[in-house]
Protein backbone atom coordinates (compact mmCIF):
# COMPACT_ATOMS: atom_id res chain seq x y z
CA UNK A 1 0.00 0.00 0.00
CA UNK A 2 1.43 3.38 -0.97
CA UNK A 3 2.19 5.80 1.81
CA UNK A 4 1.21 9.41 2.26
CA UNK A 5 2.54 11.57 -0.55
CA UNK A 6 3.09 15.29 -0.54
CA UNK A 7 3.85 17.66 -3.36
CA UNK A 8 5.91 19.61 -3.95
CA UNK A 9 8.77 18.46 -1.73
CA UNK A 10 10.55 21.80 -1.81
CA UNK A 11 9.31 25.29 -2.45
CA UNK A 12 10.84 28.74 -2.35
CA UNK A 13 8.54 31.74 -2.23
CA UNK A 14 8.90 35.44 -1.48
CA UNK A 15 7.09 37.40 1.19
CA UNK A 16 3.57 38.36 0.27
CA UNK A 17 3.05 35.49 -2.13
CA UNK A 18 0.67 32.64 -1.56
CA UNK A 19 1.32 28.90 -1.75
CA UNK A 20 -0.70 25.71 -2.10
CA UNK A 21 0.56 22.37 -0.84
CA UNK A 22 -0.96 19.03 -1.69
CA UNK A 23 -1.35 15.78 0.25
CA UNK A 24 -2.58 12.39 -0.90
CA UNK A 25 -3.44 10.10 2.02
CA UNK A 26 -3.03 6.36 2.25
CA UNK A 27 -5.76 4.61 0.31
CA UNK A 28 -8.82 4.16 2.50
CA UNK A 29 -7.83 6.84 4.97
CA UNK A 30 -10.43 9.55 5.38
CA UNK A 31 -8.75 11.82 7.88
CA UNK A 32 -5.98 14.20 6.90
CA UNK A 33 -4.17 16.44 9.36
CA UNK A 34 -1.65 19.16 8.64
CA UNK A 35 1.24 20.17 10.85
CA UNK A 36 3.92 22.81 10.78
CA UNK A 37 7.35 21.80 12.01
CA UNK A 38 10.01 24.32 12.93
CA UNK A 39 13.16 23.98 15.04
CA UNK A 40 11.85 26.45 17.59
CA UNK A 41 8.24 25.32 17.94
CA UNK A 42 8.39 21.66 17.05
CA UNK A 43 5.34 20.01 15.53
CA UNK A 44 2.27 22.20 15.68
CA UNK A 45 -1.19 21.18 14.60
CA UNK A 46 -2.75 23.26 11.84
CA UNK A 47 -6.04 21.54 11.05
CA UNK A 48 -7.73 18.24 10.38
CA UNK A 49 -10.15 17.24 7.67
CA UNK A 50 -12.47 14.29 7.72
CA UNK A 51 -14.90 13.51 4.92
CA UNK A 52 -14.31 16.91 3.33
CA UNK A 53 -15.11 18.78 6.54
CA UNK A 54 -12.70 20.65 8.75
CA UNK A 55 -13.22 19.03 12.13
CA UNK A 56 -10.40 20.57 14.09
CA UNK A 57 -8.25 23.65 13.90
CA UNK A 58 -5.09 24.71 15.68
CA UNK A 59 -4.00 28.18 16.71
CA UNK A 60 -2.86 29.57 13.40
CA UNK A 61 -3.97 32.79 11.71
CA UNK A 62 -6.60 32.82 9.00
CA UNK A 63 -3.88 33.04 6.35
CA UNK A 64 -3.62 29.27 6.76
CA UNK A 65 -6.49 27.40 5.21
CA UNK A 66 -7.17 24.01 3.77
CA UNK A 67 -9.68 21.78 2.10
CA UNK A 68 -10.31 18.15 1.39
CA UNK A 69 -11.71 16.61 -1.74
CA UNK A 70 -14.11 13.72 -2.14
CA UNK A 71 -11.20 11.34 -2.79
CA UNK A 72 -9.71 12.42 0.59
CA UNK A 73 -6.83 14.29 -1.03
CA UNK A 74 -6.17 17.54 0.77
CA UNK A 75 -4.61 20.89 0.05
CA UNK A 76 -3.46 23.61 2.35
CA UNK A 77 -3.00 27.22 1.35
CA UNK A 78 -0.98 29.94 2.96
CA UNK A 79 -1.65 33.46 1.78
CA UNK A 80 0.45 36.59 2.24
CA UNK A 81 3.53 34.61 3.18
CA UNK A 82 5.77 35.83 5.97
CA UNK A 83 9.37 34.92 6.70
CA UNK A 84 8.19 33.04 9.79
CA UNK A 85 6.16 30.68 7.64
CA UNK A 86 9.37 28.98 6.56
CA UNK A 87 8.98 25.45 7.86
CA UNK A 88 8.45 21.82 7.06
CA UNK A 89 4.75 21.23 6.43
CA UNK A 90 3.67 17.71 7.20
CA UNK A 91 0.53 15.92 6.29
CA UNK A 92 -0.68 12.85 8.19
CA UNK A 93 -3.50 10.49 7.38
CA UNK A 94 -5.51 8.02 9.39
CA UNK A 95 -8.61 5.89 8.99
CA UNK A 96 -10.71 8.13 11.19
CA UNK A 97 -10.42 10.79 13.79
CA UNK A 98 -8.64 10.66 17.08
CA UNK A 99 -7.52 7.31 18.32
CA UNK A 100 -6.27 5.81 15.12
CA UNK A 101 -2.78 5.22 13.82
CA UNK A 102 -1.64 8.35 12.07
CA UNK A 103 0.94 8.14 9.30
CA UNK A 104 3.00 11.04 8.00
CA UNK A 105 4.16 12.02 4.56
CA UNK A 106 7.70 13.23 3.82
CA UNK A 107 6.68 16.87 4.11
CA UNK A 108 7.03 19.98 1.99
CA UNK A 109 9.96 22.21 2.86
CA UNK A 110 8.80 25.81 2.37
CA UNK A 111 11.33 28.61 2.39
CA UNK A 112 10.10 32.19 2.37
CA UNK A 113 12.62 34.83 1.36
CA UNK B 1 -3.20 23.86 26.23
CA UNK B 2 -1.66 20.46 26.10
CA UNK B 3 1.85 19.87 27.24
CA UNK B 4 3.84 16.91 26.15
CA UNK B 5 7.42 17.15 27.24
CA UNK B 6 10.50 15.03 26.97
CA UNK B 7 12.85 14.63 29.90
CA UNK B 8 16.05 14.67 27.87
CA UNK B 9 16.63 16.53 24.63
CA UNK B 10 19.61 14.33 23.65
CA UNK B 11 20.62 10.77 24.35
CA UNK B 12 23.77 8.92 23.36
CA UNK B 13 24.04 5.15 23.65
CA UNK B 14 26.55 2.52 22.64
CA UNK B 15 25.58 0.22 19.82
CA UNK B 16 24.04 -2.92 21.27
CA UNK B 17 22.87 -1.26 24.46
CA UNK B 18 19.23 -0.62 25.28
CA UNK B 19 17.81 2.89 24.96
CA UNK B 20 15.07 4.45 27.02
CA UNK B 21 13.37 7.62 25.89
CA UNK B 22 10.92 9.29 28.23
CA UNK B 23 7.93 11.54 27.78
CA UNK B 24 5.63 13.33 30.20
CA UNK B 25 2.11 14.30 29.23
CA UNK B 26 -0.32 16.60 30.97
CA UNK B 27 -3.83 15.55 29.96
CA UNK B 28 -5.01 12.68 32.11
CA UNK B 29 -7.93 12.22 29.71
CA UNK B 30 -5.68 11.39 26.75
CA UNK B 31 -6.60 7.93 25.58
CA UNK B 32 -4.09 7.16 22.86
CA UNK B 33 -0.37 7.66 22.42
CA UNK B 34 2.06 7.20 19.56
CA UNK B 35 5.84 7.15 19.32
CA UNK B 36 7.41 8.45 16.13
CA UNK B 37 10.93 8.35 14.75
CA UNK B 38 12.10 11.14 12.49
CA UNK B 39 15.28 10.94 10.49
CA UNK B 40 16.88 13.97 8.97
CA UNK B 41 14.98 15.21 5.92
CA UNK B 42 12.09 12.82 6.40
CA UNK B 43 8.64 12.90 7.90
CA UNK B 44 7.93 11.22 11.26
CA UNK B 45 7.69 7.45 11.00
CA UNK B 46 5.15 5.56 13.12
CA UNK B 47 6.92 3.21 15.54
CA UNK B 48 4.39 1.95 18.05
CA UNK B 49 1.21 3.04 19.75
CA UNK B 50 -0.59 2.31 22.99
CA UNK B 51 -4.08 2.93 24.27
CA UNK B 52 -4.81 4.15 27.76
CA UNK B 53 -6.35 0.84 28.78
CA UNK B 54 -2.92 -0.78 28.48
CA UNK B 55 0.30 -0.21 30.39
CA UNK B 56 2.71 -2.01 28.10
CA UNK B 57 2.95 -2.91 24.47
CA UNK B 58 5.76 -4.60 22.60
CA UNK B 59 6.83 -4.44 19.01
CA UNK B 60 9.91 -5.52 17.17
CA UNK B 61 12.81 -4.43 19.42
CA UNK B 62 10.63 -1.68 20.90
CA UNK B 63 8.46 -1.54 23.99
CA UNK B 64 6.23 1.29 25.09
CA UNK B 65 5.31 1.68 28.73
CA UNK B 66 2.47 3.86 29.95
CA UNK B 67 2.14 4.98 33.55
CA UNK B 68 -1.13 6.85 33.85
CA UNK B 69 -0.64 7.54 37.55
CA UNK B 70 2.26 9.86 36.86
CA UNK B 71 1.33 10.61 33.24
CA UNK B 72 4.53 9.20 31.87
CA UNK B 73 5.31 7.38 28.67
CA UNK B 74 8.54 5.68 27.72
CA UNK B 75 10.00 4.02 24.65
CA UNK B 76 12.51 1.26 25.11
CA UNK B 77 14.66 0.18 22.18
CA UNK B 78 16.49 -3.10 22.61
CA UNK B 79 19.96 -3.70 21.16
CA UNK B 80 20.18 -0.20 19.72
CA UNK B 81 21.64 -0.03 16.23
CA UNK B 82 23.21 2.85 14.26
CA UNK B 83 20.06 2.99 12.15
CA UNK B 84 18.12 3.92 15.26
CA UNK B 85 19.85 7.30 15.38
CA UNK B 86 17.07 9.85 14.90
CA UNK B 87 14.76 12.20 16.76
CA UNK B 88 11.99 10.47 18.66
CA UNK B 89 8.66 12.12 19.42
CA UNK B 90 5.80 11.08 21.59
CA UNK B 91 2.29 12.23 20.72
CA UNK B 92 -0.89 12.11 22.74
CA UNK B 93 -4.44 12.28 21.50
CA UNK B 94 -5.80 14.79 23.93
CA UNK B 95 -8.20 17.69 24.19
CA UNK B 96 -10.13 18.49 21.06
CA UNK B 97 -9.41 15.03 19.74
CA UNK B 98 -6.15 16.18 18.23
CA UNK B 99 -2.57 15.05 18.60
CA UNK B 100 -0.07 16.99 20.68
CA UNK B 101 3.61 16.34 20.18
CA UNK B 102 6.59 16.51 22.47
CA UNK B 103 9.64 18.50 21.49
CA UNK B 104 11.61 15.38 20.63
CA UNK B 105 14.68 13.54 21.88
CA UNK B 106 17.68 13.18 19.64
CA UNK B 107 19.13 9.68 19.92
CA UNK B 108 22.71 9.12 18.80
CA UNK B 109 24.04 5.59 18.60
CA UNK B 110 27.79 5.32 19.03
CA UNK B 111 29.34 2.46 17.01
Amino acid sequence: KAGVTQTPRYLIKTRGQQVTLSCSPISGHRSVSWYQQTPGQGLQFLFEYFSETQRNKGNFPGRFSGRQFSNSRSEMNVSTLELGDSALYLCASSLGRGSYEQYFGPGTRLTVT
Amino acid sequence: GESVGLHLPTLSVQEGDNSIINCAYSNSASDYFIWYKQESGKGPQFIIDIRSNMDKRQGQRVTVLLNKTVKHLSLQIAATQPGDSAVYFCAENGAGNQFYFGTGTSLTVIP
Side-chain angles (χ1 to χ4, degrees):
Chain A
K1 188 183 277 191
V4 179
T5 59
Q6 292 186 246
T7 57
R9 292 293 312 279
Y10 303 92
L11 207 48
I12 299 175
K13 291 284 189 178
T14 56
R15 278 180 299 176
Q17 287 186 312
Q18 67 93 26
V19 66
T20 299
L21 311 181
S22 181
C23 171
S24 292
I26 293 172
S27 178
H29 284 193
R30 297 171 64 192
S31 171
V32 173
S33 296
W34 288 90
Y35 295 87
Q36 181 194 67
Q37 186 176 35
T38 60
Q41 299 296 321
L43 267 160
Q44 292 187 291
F45 174 76
L46 280 155
F47 29 66
E48 182 217 2
Y49 286 86
F50 180 78
S51 294
E52 302 178 65
T53 301
Q54 186 183 91
R55 290 298 189 96
N56 234 330
K57 191 176 189 303
N59 296 322
F60 278 82
R63 299 185 297 108
F64 292 82
S65 62
R67 59 177 175 169
Q68 187 180 34
F69 302 95
S70 58
N71 61 357
S72 294
R73 190 177 70 85
S74 178
E75 290 181 346
M76 68 163 281
N77 184 277
V78 188
S79 62
T80 319
L81 285 165
E82 301 176 359
L83 294 178
D85 296 333
S86 294
L88 181 67
Y89 289 89
L90 292 158
C91 159
S93 78
S94 69
L95 281 170
R97 298 184 60 235
S99 304
Y100 290 96
E101 298 176 18
Q102 183 176 227
Y103 296 90
F104 281 87
T108 294
R109 172 71 64 186
L110 172 65
T111 302
V112 182
T113 62
Chain B
E2 301 293 311
S3 173
V4 182
L6 292 168
H7 292 177
L8 295 173
T10 62
L11 178 65
S12 296
V13 298
Q14 289 290 141
E15 181 178 357
D17 287 353
N18 296 335
S19 302
I20 299 177
I21 300 171
N22 296 304
C23 178
Y25 64 95
S26 62
N27 188 345
S28 57
S30 292
D31 63 353
Y32 180 60
F33 305 84
I34 302 177
W35 277 102
Y36 288 96
K37 171 187 179 183
Q38 187 173 25
E39 296 174 279
S40 182
K42 298 183 179 180
Q45 175 189 351
F46 179 99
I47 301 173
I48 192 168
D49 61 355
I50 189 167
R51 297 192 183 277
S52 60
N53 60 355
M54 305 172 68
D55 53 21
K56 180 179 180 179
R57 189 158 189 235
Q58 289 184 288
Q60 187 177 16
R61 284 201 306 118
V62 294
T63 300
V64 54
L65 299 177
L66 175 62
N67 185 331
K68 293 181 288 293
T69 302
V70 295
K71 291 184 284 188
H72 182 268
L73 195 68
S74 69
L75 176 70
Q76 300 177 2
I77 304 174
T80 313
Q81 303 168 359
D84 294 327
S85 292
V87 176
Y88 290 80
F89 296 93
C90 63
E92 65 173 310
N93 185 247
N97 210 16
Q98 63 179 260
F99 281 97
Y100 298 86
F101 287 79
T103 53
T105 291
S106 177
L107 174 66
T108 301
V109 181
I110 304 165

